[in-house]
Amino acid sequence: MRHGKKNNHLGRTAPHRAAMLSNMATSLILHKRIETTVAKAKELRKYAEPLITKAKTDDTNNRRVVFSYLQSKDAIKELFGIVAEKVANRPGGYTRIIKLGNRLGDNAEMCMMELVDFNETILNAVAEATPKTRRSRRGGAKQDGVEATATPVVVVEEPSAEIVKDETPAAPATEESSEEEKKSAE
């Protein structure tokens, strides 16, 4: 029976699995986004999120504990500096898994795993999509029995520079046409 055995071993021995997850977590921290299979991403989420939680409190013991998992000084600097600063007020859920489809070679389910606070396009879209409005139950401000309406905006264009016409005609002009041109120019 497999009571309480909830880890996916991913077809690897324990040291191979630990090394693979360490490398993947380092890549995720340094690059903020990696592409992998769904099974590996789900295991990586269980491996990386506790490390990010430890990085929120920057002290020597937490640095040593996280270094024992990652074995990369560059990843530790990035994690305890930039990443911890961005996720400081987030209570968990630091990663996102976006499914991409199946891989051509072996039909494995592929996904993109990213740190949530580092996807600028989604953050900008959320900021633009939710404008803050204040609604009251009264229906709107009325002044002297007349509903308050938005005042129309009047756009005044500045006069542009006058266009100077070249008065040399392309074809020889007759006296009648030259007189008409003089009248229209005035």
Side-chain angles (χ1 to χ4, degrees):
M1 293 194 293
R2 57 177 307 277
H3 295 305
K5 296 180 181 179
K6 61 182 180 179
N7 292 335
N8 185 350
H9 297 295
L10 302 171
R12 290 164 169 79
T13 61
H16 186 188
R17 189 170 52 253
M20 182 193 66
L21 290 172
S22 174
N23 289 334
M24 289 176 69
T26 300
S27 296
L28 179 65
I29 290 166
L30 292 177
H31 301 292
K32 313 298 186 271
R33 180 180 297 153
I34 60 172
E35 190 172 321
T36 183
T37 62
V38 173
K40 287 180 188 175
K42 287 180 179 179
E43 284 301 308
L44 178 60
R45 180 172 48 195
K46 288 191 261 183
Y47 186 87
E49 291 206 5
L51 300 179
I52 297 171
T53 302
K54 283 199 177 296
K56 289 165 82 172
T57 55
D58 188 7
D59 60 358
T60 305
N61 186 49
N62 282 347
R63 281 183 177 261
R64 286 179 177 168
V65 168
V66 173
F67 184 77
S68 72
Y69 284 93
L70 295 182
Q71 299 292 319
S72 171
K73 289 183 180 180
D74 294 333
I76 298 298
K77 285 180 189 174
E78 185 84 11
L79 179 62
F80 279 87
I82 298 168
V83 175
E85 182 180 310
K86 281 230 181 182
V87 300
N89 57 359
R90 182 178 287 275
Y94 312 111
T95 58
R96 175 186 296 127
I97 296 175
I98 301 169
K99 294 185 180 180
L100 299 176
N102 294 343
R103 186 162 50 196
L104 289 178
D106 60 354
N107 207 29
E109 267 190 296
M110 297 300 290
C111 70
M112 180 176 57
M113 186 172 189
E114 65 184 5
L115 294 175
V116 171
D117 292 320
F118 289 91
N119 192 336
E120 299 299 327
T121 57
I122 292 179
L123 292 176
N124 292 338
V126 168
E128 292 173 2
T130 58
K132 294 183 179 180
T133 59
R134 183 176 174 194
R135 297 180 182 167
S136 68
R137 301 177 95 187
R138 292 187 222 168
K142 294 186 179 182
Q143 299 171 353
D144 298 329
V146 179
E147 291 185 19
T149 59
T151 58
V153 178
V154 178
V155 178
V156 178
E157 294 183 13
E158 295 181 12
S160 60
E162 292 183 21
I163 300 172
V164 178
K165 290 185 179 179
D166 187 17
E167 295 195 14
T168 56
T174 61
E175 292 179 332
E176 297 174 354
S177 64
S178 63
E179 290 175 354
E180 292 175 1
E181 287 177 7
K182 287 181 184 177
K183 289 180 184 176
S184 65
E186 292 177 348

